[in-house]
Amino acid sequence: FAPSVESVQVLLRTDGRPLNARVELLQGPSNNKQVMEVYSEDGLERPFFAILETPGVGNIIRVVNKAPVEFPLTAHVEPYLVEAGSADTIADSWNNGEGSSFLLSPPM
């Protein structure tokens, strides 16, 4: 995302199967990563949603599916709050391919 993106929204869901994932926020090379372990019995009825602050540059959001290969999840990561007065807008960030949506299967 552009440096003007101050926070992002993360949505994790499944097709009704269990949701078991890890969401990591890495802020720069010299900081410890922040980790959230996420579990839900039904990722369709009870998806996971969070807003993560990402001030400055060098922020990375990493989503890891910890479930078996039979339980894929869908992850949506989009800008939420953009710095006031910047040339960037949420729509511009999304249109530039800077928002992401992925279907994640666990590593084999």
Side-chain angles (χ1 to χ4, degrees):
F1 297 103
S4 61
V5 175
E6 294 181 352
S7 62
V8 297
Q9 52 190 347
V10 177
L11 172 66
L12 305 180
R13 64 181 177 188
T14 66
D15 60 358
R17 297 176 184 178
L19 169 66
N20 190 6
R22 184 173 61 237
V23 179
E24 299 175 357
L25 172 60
L26 294 86
Q27 294 180 303
S30 60
N31 291 331
N32 292 330
K33 64 183 171 185
Q34 299 174 47
V35 178
M36 290 181 280
E37 298 286 338
V38 178
Y39 181 79
S40 174
E41 279 291 326
D42 185 334
L44 184 61
E45 287 187 21
R46 293 177 296 282
F48 171 79
F49 180 78
I51 297 172
L52 306 174
E53 292 185 12
T54 57
V57 296
N59 295 296
I60 297 172
I61 305 290
R62 180 178 177 211
V63 178
V64 179
N65 187 357
K66 295 176 55 180
V69 71
E70 294 85 8
F71 300 149
L73 67 85
T74 303
H76 301 273
V77 180
E78 299 180 15
Y80 179 72
L81 182 62
V82 178
E83 184 178 300
S86 76
D88 299 323
T89 64
I90 291 175
D92 289 339
S93 293
W94 179 254
N95 291 336
N96 288 333
E98 295 184 31
S100 303
S101 178
F102 301 99
L103 177 64
L104 299 175
S105 294
M108 296 184 163

